[in-house]
Amino acid sequence: MTVMAVSLHFWLLAQETVPTAENLEALFKEVTWRSLLQALLTVAIAYGLLTAIQSFTTAISEKVPRRFRLVIKQSVPFLKALVLLVAIARLLHLFVNPTGSNLLALTGTIAVALGFAFKDYVSSIIAGIVTLFEGSFRMGDRVRIGDHYGEVVNYGLREVRLRTPSDDTVTIPHNTLWNEPISNANSGQLEAQIVTDFYIAHAANVELVSDLLYQAAYSSRYTQLKLPVTVIILEKPWATQLKLKAYPMDARDEFIYKTDLVLRVKQACARHHVPYPQVGWPNADEASGASSE
């Protein structure tokens, strides 16, 4: 509906100036070999700059101090948009007489054509622009869009790309974001809260295990000590559940950090002979469901 409304708006504005066979010469400049070569050169330079921006910022962001990595990556969509705007303006200057009526007529005609023929593609572009300025997520953020979770590694004209924990690349069209919920783990920050679940038997010393969880978090080399560490205790029919909430210094270390915490807690519990819930408990199905919360 948005694309159709925009197309109709431009079409109505351009009704009096839509180009016809009689005034095409007034609308377009004469096409020469020189202008064609300049257009090809403009497209080639724009493509090269877009590729260079992506490659250069990715390489530089991995070499600078960690606190600057996301700042560099977050500049990529804006730099790409600037290159595209300059390239489009240059192409229009080469082939179109830049008068107000001509630009209005051309814009209206293109809007109508795109609105009917490429409405999904145009919708993705518009959604990408809106999302870029709304700041729902940025390059380097760890987000969940629908059923997909991963790090934002590319923000293109039509789609966003996520790298999942299994190292797959998921391409999501921007227009999907109109209706899909977006969960952002770090919102432009290096740190993202990590929640690790532990389960012990009802007979275990809960205070002791809680202290062990705090010790494991504060002794891990991945923990960002400037941010709070919290232990939440929940009582289940089949066990006592403890949630350890802490922040790694880099959100990229999410799964390495969780592994480190689990190893430390398991070793500490073994030294203190902490009992675990018995295998084969009648509510085992509930246990598997709770672990996915």
Side-chain angles (χ1 to χ4, degrees):
M1 291 300 293
T2 302
V3 175
M4 297 298 293
V6 172
S7 302
L8 180 60
H9 174 70
F10 279 110
W11 182 78
L12 291 173
L13 288 177
Q15 280 300 293
E16 297 181 358
T17 54
V18 171
T20 63
E22 290 75 16
N23 59 15
L24 281 177
E25 293 184 0
L27 175 59
F28 295 104
K29 293 181 178 179
E30 181 182 357
V31 179
T32 63
W33 284 109
R34 179 184 177 86
S35 61
L36 286 176
L37 289 176
Q38 289 180 342
L40 290 175
L41 182 61
T42 299
V43 172
I45 292 175
Y47 180 81
L49 286 175
L50 292 175
T51 303
I53 287 172
Q54 185 67 44
S55 301
F56 181 75
T57 54
T58 299
I60 292 297
S61 65
E62 301 300 330
K63 298 182 182 299
V64 299
R66 184 162 44 194
R67 64 182 180 276
F68 297 123
R69 188 186 76 235
L70 293 185
V71 175
I72 293 175
K73 286 192 171 184
Q74 289 162 9
S75 66
V76 172
F78 295 97
L79 293 176
K80 286 184 174 181
L82 179 61
V83 171
L84 289 173
L85 287 175
V86 173
I88 292 172
R90 174 60 177 166
L91 292 174
L92 289 176
H93 178 73
L94 287 173
F95 297 111
V96 178
N97 288 316
T99 64
S101 59
N102 284 348
L103 291 178
L104 181 60
L106 183 63
T107 302
T109 303
I110 293 175
V112 172
L114 292 179
F116 286 100
F118 303 102
K119 63 179 187 305
D120 290 336
Y121 192 88
V122 177
S123 177
S124 291
I125 294 176
I126 294 174
I129 295 173
V130 172
T131 303
L132 179 63
F133 286 97
E134 281 186 345
S136 302
F137 56 83
R138 306 171 181 85
M139 289 281 290
D141 283 358
R142 302 186 72 83
V143 301
R144 182 179 298 279
I145 302 175
D147 296 329
H148 302 290
Y149 173 76
E151 178 183 354
V152 179
V153 295
N154 189 26
Y155 195 101
L157 185 65
R158 187 191 67 87
E159 80 285 331
V160 60
R161 294 182 183 177
L162 306 183
R163 180 174 294 123
T164 67
S166 57
D167 206 29
D168 296 328
T169 300
V170 179
T171 301
I172 303 175
H174 288 308
N175 62 349
T176 304
L177 307 179
W178 289 126
N179 302 311
E180 289 288 348
I182 302 173
S183 174
N184 194 327
N186 55 324
S187 298
Q189 303 299 316
L190 272 176
E191 307 88 358
Q193 186 182 81
I194 304 301
V195 181
T196 310
D197 292 324
F198 298 94
Y199 301 92
I200 58 175
H202 289 302
N205 186 335
V206 178
E207 292 184 2
L208 171 63
V209 178
S210 178
D211 289 340
L212 295 178
L213 265 60
Y214 277 110
Q215 293 174 21
Y218 282 117
S219 62
S220 174
R221 66 189 181 92
Y222 298 101
T223 302
Q224 174 54 271
L225 299 177
K226 296 179 180 179
L227 296 173
V229 174
T230 307
V231 174
I232 306 297
I233 301 174
L234 302 172
E235 195 68 6
K236 303 291 184 180
W238 50 275
T240 298
Q241 179 184 11
L242 295 94
K243 290 180 175 287
L244 176 57
K245 298 183 177 183
Y247 295 80
M249 289 184 289
D250 193 330
R252 276 185 176 179
D253 297 330
E254 173 183 357
F255 296 100
I256 299 176
Y257 183 46
K258 293 185 75 169
T259 300
D260 184 59
L261 292 176
V262 170
L263 289 174
R264 290 174 180 274
V265 172
K266 293 281 284 185
Q267 292 171 0
C269 288
R271 289 196 303 269
H272 291 85
H273 306 288
V274 175
Y276 290 99
Q278 295 297 313
V279 178
W281 190 268
N283 291 324
D285 292 339
E286 183 182 348
S288 63
S291 62
S292 64
E293 292 179 357

